[in-house]
Amino acid sequence: MNVFITFSLLPMAFLKGQQPDKYLEKEVDYLPYYQEMYKADSLKMIGKEKESFDKLDDLFKIYKPRNTMFYYEMKTYIVLGEKLGVKRDYRPYLNDLIMLWGYNSSTIGTDDILKKVYAENGFNDQKIKETEQFHKNNLKQEYIDGINKIRSLDQSPKRMEAEKEVNAENFEIYAKYGYPTVQNIHMGSKVFLIPLFIHFNKNEQQYEIIYKILYENVKKGAAEPIEMKNFLALKNIENTRSYYFGDDGTSLYVDKLQDDVPYDTVKKRRKMYGLPSLELEKWKSKIESENSEIE
């Protein structure tokens, strides 16, 4: 699949003047945050809900919480707190789930406990809809339109003719709005971006620029570690025919690769980019797969 390199025209000098995401109160290193969040997720999965809640409770005292894709730790914190009867002021988190992370009446309604907590904290249908509007008002439609244009042109016979135009447009959008977070493009567009990153490495200049953008944004909590993973994994497969993070053959559907990367190297790489350990990721995937089969 040919996907346009949306950031290919970014000058290196632009990176130095890049402004922090306006939704983050201050720049802190989120790599340790992810490692603790993974531990909390594991505790929850083995039924140690109090321990999981306590770990998140301690973590959120230091960091402004995220709601990381496939983990959703902010939602977990609220739901576990309600189940355990732990008294906290959950209103800021309930508010952020809607305003910053795009939760709405529909997504809230799929979880009975979460729905109950919202009701108990004064979020009736009208207030939820009013808070939803804040999220919608802060979405950057120009950004979303650019992503949708890439989506539609990706399979078009005219994609090569349109590449320069799309690159130029997306450079302007990035320079104007910064990194594409859930807060400015909504979750659906964010999910679509993740597989795109495995294609953003067609020449060394583009690769180095996007690498810096991604890594800096993962560290400050604006980008998802999985975006970094997808970006690095495929290039390594193409160059060395080996696994970069230890599981690329499964996640990228590439068969029969020679896994000759030492375990310690894989471990360091995963930690460096905020990813869970290889054992934890495989264990989580296995448990979730078994649970989905039961359902």
Side-chain angles (χ1 to χ4, degrees), residues 10 14 48 80 96 108 127 160 278 287 294:
L10 274 174
F14 177 73
K48 293 187 176 183
L80 288 182
D96 281 359
I108 293 167
K127 184 171 182 179
M160 297 306 294
L278 184 57
I287 296 297
I294 293 173

Side-chain angles (χ1 to χ4, degrees), residues 219-247:
K219 287 196 294 183
K220 70 182 184 182
E224 301 274 354
I226 193 173
E227 295 170 67
M228 193 83 236
K229 176 182 177 181
N230 281 17
F231 174 68
L232 288 170
L234 187 61
K235 186 171 185 67
N236 193 73
I237 286 173
E238 291 175 343
N239 289 347
T240 70
R241 307 305 297 169
S242 64
Y243 298 113
Y244 196 78
F245 292 112
D247 62 342

Side-chain angles (χ1 to χ4, degrees), residues 8 44 108 117 131 147 171 206 251 260 289:
S8 64
K44 181 194 71 173
I108 293 167
V117 180
T131 313
I147 292 169
F171 163 66
Q206 291 170 346
S251 61
D260 57 359
S289 176

Side-chain angles (χ1 to χ4, degrees), residues 53-106:
F53 177 88
D54 288 344
K55 185 166 284 293
L56 290 175
D57 196 38
D58 289 340
L59 191 61
F60 293 173
K61 290 172 184 173
I62 303 170
Y63 291 88
K64 182 175 176 62
R66 299 188 85 264
N67 201 45
T68 309
M69 205 176 300
F70 308 123
Y71 292 89
Y72 308 112
E73 64 272 22
M74 195 188 300
K75 175 190 171 184
T76 294
Y77 177 73
I78 297 167
V79 170
L80 288 182
E82 174 68 17
K83 289 176 67 176
L84 295 166
V86 180
K87 300 300 181 183
R88 293 284 189 279
D89 182 7
Y90 297 109
R91 286 173 297 178
Y93 304 107
L94 294 168
N95 210 53
D96 281 359
L97 278 182
I98 301 173
M99 289 203 311
L100 303 186
W101 300 98
Y103 277 50
N104 53 39
S105 301
S106 177

